[in-house]
Amino acid sequence: MDLDESAEEQVFRAQARQWLRAHVPAEPPASLETEEGFAEHRAWEARLYADRWSVVSWPKEYGGRGVDLVKWLIFEEEYYAAGAPGRVSQNGISLLAPTLFDHGSREQQARILPPTASGEVIWAQAWSEPEAGSDLASLTSRAVRTDGGWLLSGQKTWSSRAAFADRAFGLFRSEPGTPKPHHGLTYVMFDLHAPGVTVRPIARLDGKPAFAELFLDDVFVPDEDVIGEPGEGWRIAMSTTGNERGLTLRSPGRFLAAADRLVRRWRATAGPSDTALRDRVADAVLGARAYHLFTCANASRFAAGESIGAESSLNKVFWSEYDIALHETALDLLGPEGEVSDGDWQEGYVFSLAGPIYAGTNEIQRDIIAERLLGLPKGRLPQDPGLTRAGRIPG
Amino acid sequence: MDLDESAEEQVFRAQARQWLRAHVPAEPPASLETEEGFAEHRAWEARLYADRWSVVSWPKEYGGRGVDLVKWLIFEEEYYAAGAPGRVSQNGISLLAPTLFDHGSREQQARILPPTASGEVIWAQAWSEPEAGSDLASLTSRAVRTDGGWLLSGQKTWSSRAAFADRAFGLFRSEPGTPKPHHGLTYVMFDLHAPGVTVRPIARLDGKPAFAELFLDDVFVPDEDVIGEPGEGWRIAMSTTGNERGLTLRSPGRFLAAADRLVRRWRATAGPSDTALRDRVADAVLGARAYHLFTCANASRFAAGESIGAESSLNKVFWSEYDIALHETALDLLGPEGEVSDGDWQEGYVFSLAGPIYAGTNEIQRDIIAERLLGLPKGRLPQDPGLTRAGRIPG
Amino acid sequence: MRFLLDAEQAEFGRTLDRMLAAAGTPGVVRAWAAGDHGPGRALWSRIAEAGVFALAVPEAYDGVGPLPVELAVAYVELGRHAVPGPVVETAAAATLLGELPSVAKEWLPRIASGEAVVSLRLDEADAFCGPYALDADAADAVITVSGDELRLAPGHGPLQASADPARRLFRPLDGGELLASGPAVREAAAQAADRAAFLTAAQSLGVGLELLHRTVEYTKQRMQFGTPIGSFQAVKHRLADTLLALEFARPLLFGAALSTAPADIAAAKVTAGEAAYTAARTALQLHGAIGYTEELDLSLWLRKARPLRDAWGTPGACRARVLDAQVPGLQHAP
Amino acid sequence: MRFLLDAEQAEFGRTLDRMLAAAGTPGVVRAWAAGDHGPGRALWSRIAEAGVFALAVPEAYDGVGPLPVELAVAYVELGRHAVPGPVVETAAAATLLGELPSVAKEWLPRIASGEAVVSLRLDEADAFCGPYALDADAADAVITVSGDELRLAPGHGPLQASADPARRLFRPLDGGELLASGPAVREAAAQAADRAAFLTAAQSLGVGLELLHRTVEYTKQRMQFGTPIGSFQAVKHRLADTLLALEFARPLLFGAALSTAPADIAAAKVTAGEAAYTAARTALQLHGAIGYTEELDLSLWLRKARPLRDAWGTPGACRARVLDAQVPGLQHAP
């Protein structure tokens, strides 16, 4: 057991740090939930991609460096420590790409992965529907067969990034009336500017259009934009939630950097004798360390050929509740100034509040932890393993 | 709306304070969970009774002063502020007596209440059974009709005070096989020294025999020791859980005094700059005040002719979790010395840990709050209103 | 001792509740947040007509107050309906100016009648006071206190957006007409700060109660996995905890109304503020994504809970004050 | 980077687990608590034979250590089986004495072999150290440090009962043979305190894991309202939270084993200590009244959780240390 970095890893870290030092903009771009900020973030993605720092763990042929998970963790640490911008391409890189790697055709991989990594195509998610929140198997949006492809109809919602994005991916019901509701779904990619698509941005609590409703009216999708076999969408979507790329939803580097920023703020504004705040700042520091090391352990397990299953629910609950606690502490450090909305921490706070809701509510995650990891009796959730994993679709 | 004390109430408070100042022993008696301490506490009850301070709210004919709930609250404040001993007669005074007042015959009242108030007879509870914890309607101990009375058989457990007490009260199944399990139960009082009774003391976490198992083998109980009609025991037991005497389970005076003691300790051992502890001490102070005022509001509602139903579940959850938090804070003030078992706070801490378990677990109380006070849909608890009140039997 | 609203007090609350419900406050709040004060000022007049501001003004100046219990009843309703504007600050200004006869005569009758909307920034050196004058752009006067000088601010800086857009923050400009000075100003400012904390506690409690109410209703009808989510025990217990927090804040609020002691006000402020924030976290989590949107009216309350928790006394400042006043062995005295 | 026990380390833990399970530790604990040290000393020898104490002793003194990762593995198992006695103190004494060659030679080989049971009271002025020497009555030596003097205590005061009766507390008498003095003693004592905190963290994690395990098993079989109580969502979520607390304490423990930095040890100590206490509260609540009794073996773990949380570094002291060492911007450096 060790946490040592190899010489090669140290070189990689130094290269990443050097590049970031040279390129991270001194002034952070505008919020990526604004039109202006979205464009700035897209340009930053292109900058990253040009020097092969956008998707370090991808094969070289798609613009990556083919590095392992340990180096990816190193890169993420350096990335957030350098104060680099948030990743507007995250949906495509972290959620769509793993599915394409596992289930896409060579043609799809070659056509879709590079522009996804370069920011040329920014992806929105199209999972949820108004009546299917945690209960994702109850999706009703349809894909109907037509010449050379499919016609999509229905309504999707909570489609993150969709206000400004280019394309979207999601599940559609291609075989209505199957005995099990999670059968007969098809995994589809479609253009947000295609005829028949209406995008209605939805403002989140701070007024920023962080997601949108999508209204689909006979939207044509060619066969080449279906991933895997029609009707197999559920299995395809689920198969990548527990794999190693599922780790990337919240990288430890992000929290290490946030805790670091919190400590700076604390030293600047509070006395060490204010032990009430000191204890919470300490919890932020050790929580970031715990999450980092927990991820290192998982990375080591992958490297040793093991796989991660319901353990990813531990991950989800931890980071989402950690993130809120960290931001609440930061706001409390600011006192009555904490309510100022363009302050350092407000946007992060609002963002953090969504954590326990999306990607499977924490209530469902705790059910999964209790039933899968502790072996407690099944409760009210449907018994089908696929169904109870509904909560795990990142959204 | 006011919190003013009338001139009469002020006089009552002054009298109580004066008496307590003159009589509360300078050295606290030994723990009432020991044989020696039990005897000392019994003697203290006699002392209280002799001067009519044992049961101030009872009618004068039974040794009380016939005062109202407000004066009872005043007495309790003064009692705990004076550091007076815990009440070894609590089961009889707070749990049995209200039932006797409502459902007992005049003969029973005259025969039983005075020795209960004087400490001559100390009562144990005999509600729970090994397989009926929160699910009290599943009781199986039997009462079988015999000449002039009943024969009790079966096993009771978590019988508080039973290690040293004189008599016990509880429910027994007198009509087996009723369609609803809470029908056909009979409310019975019996002698712990009667033939056929075996008392096996059970040591709680700190080793003290705070409760016992009772094994009953054809224990004869005369008809005069049945309360109300045979078979009606459930209704009789439930009818007094929500009445004003139900408030007495934990009197606010107790927590006001405990918070006071905590502040003294905090001023003596911690600097005011240790805000982590300061905040928790402040929470203890304001929690005691909140509980006191909440009880005042309930007392005012009773005085105005209203009744209290499921609101008593709010009460139970609040005081039981407050009590633990207060003691944890006290132990944290002591640091590594907190583990010393004969320290100031350890016995109170161990006692507090039982709070969320007995008198209806806090899980059941929260179900009741959600279903009865907020109107949420019924969950897994049985639908019969009597059954869901099972949790409210103090035990 | 009768720690219960009398019939008249309870009816006052219900009347106000009906009036505010009929007024459609969500539209008023959205307009206010957008800088359109018209509907808010119209509502303000109706609130004044209902007698709310007169409760903070002594009879000598055309009011009926101060009546802290009735003020608590009223401000719970203002919170419950998310009424925008410097309602706390205007009433606290009445407390401040009422102690200074030289200026009371000019302002207090206008506050009582609803004619004057007043904002306030007390001494920033006081841990209970922030740097902003709430809704200064909508106010007829912005009063500032620094040290022992009371002034009419000559204007204010640019809008500083709050996490709750219906709370419009401005820094008052320095200087301005000196209305009063001397130690009496300092004392009056301390009383005004207490009054502001007390009314903010009431407002918080109202905000929390409404968040809980809306969430309970939502969980009863929202179906997932073929059942209302309100039938899940995790949902039930979280709602039960929220009710607990609110129902034990309520007696502290009315206890503070009766005693008006600073420590009691601080106890009410921290408890109601934390309870309302708990309610907000619960409401957001149990509504799920829909609760995270600005377009659902829920957001009008959600975004208010945390700023109110920190305004006029952060939880830390309040807890410190609770203990400042706690002299062991004395709190039980009659 | 391979942050994972290797096969040998994992097998070492399993072997120890099997040995301790077969030893029937509950009976040993009850005897120890009653002052009968015989079964405990016998178990001590078997633990020593398994190589546990040798892990804390350098090769120069017949040990194989220090091997912090293996020590963590071992002490998790000691906690999981509630092994009584000054196991932490003896290993910390090895750290202390190992830095002082003059005394190391006499004591360390005997510690490694299990021949010597040693208790320890470091300088009370250190916020991480308490006033007692654990199980001094069962120890072959009680070492004390005051300032820069290291002594062999000449005896101890009367038994001071702990909330965990298997933890027998004694104040060492003052004076006694001076074994070493000077700044090296002070430095060695600081290292020993860190080692004690680290091993207590491991022990806490084991205690917490066992409490969770027993509670999960109980809730699967305990029926109420016609169903196992483990099927209630409130029970599930509480157990899930307990697992979360423990599983995020585990990496901090092994992270501290690898770095041996005081701040990392403090992070592990507070997190494991709090997690074990959380597990104890959960275990008690979900067992209900039966869990509140001394006669159920569960009590042997229940009563240990809180004293371990506070021994060798209270949560407050640990959190302070976490931040003492936190230099912003540096913790990411390779």
Side-chain angles (χ1 to χ4, degrees), chain A residues 149-222:
Chain A
W150 300 79
L151 293 172
L152 308 182
S153 294
Q155 187 183 346
K156 293 283 182 180
T157 193
W158 318 129
S159 188
S160 59
R161 304 266 188 276
F164 309 114
D166 307 297
R167 306 196 72 198
F169 54 90
L171 295 182
F172 289 81
R173 190 163 296 285
S174 52
E175 300 163 28
T178 53
K180 296 196 172 176
H182 56 290
H183 291 169
L185 295 164
T186 294
Y187 197 127
V188 171
M189 301 175 283
F190 59 98
D191 199 316
L192 286 169
H193 306 296
V197 178
T198 306
V199 177
R200 188 182 76 82
I202 304 176
R204 69 178 177 193
L205 284 177
D206 64 1
K208 290 174 184 146
F211 32 49
E213 272 182 318
L214 307 179
F215 299 90
L216 306 168
D217 183 14
D218 282 345
V219 177
F220 178 74
V221 173

Side-chain angles (χ1 to χ4, degrees), chain A residues 49 52 55-67:
Chain A
Y49 183 74
R52 292 191 178 268
V55 285
V56 294
S57 64
W58 288 14
K60 291 186 182 164
E61 59 185 302
Y62 301 132
R65 291 169 179 253
V67 304

Side-chain angles (χ1 to χ4, degrees), chain D residues 136-183:
Chain D
D137 62 335
D140 300 296
V142 176
I143 307 285
T144 66
V145 173
S146 291
D148 53 11
E149 292 187 346
L150 177 89
R151 291 177 185 272
L152 197 59
H156 56 74
L159 171 67
Q160 181 69 270
S162 160
D164 174 8
R167 287 174 58 83
R168 298 166 62 84
L169 308 177
F170 299 88
R171 282 183 197 272
L173 298 183
D174 286 341
E177 187 189 343
L178 184 68
L179 298 181
S181 66

Side-chain angles (χ1 to χ4, degrees), chain D residues 5 152 209 236 243:
Chain D
L5 293 179
L152 197 59
L209 290 168
K236 284 184 185 178
L243 182 69

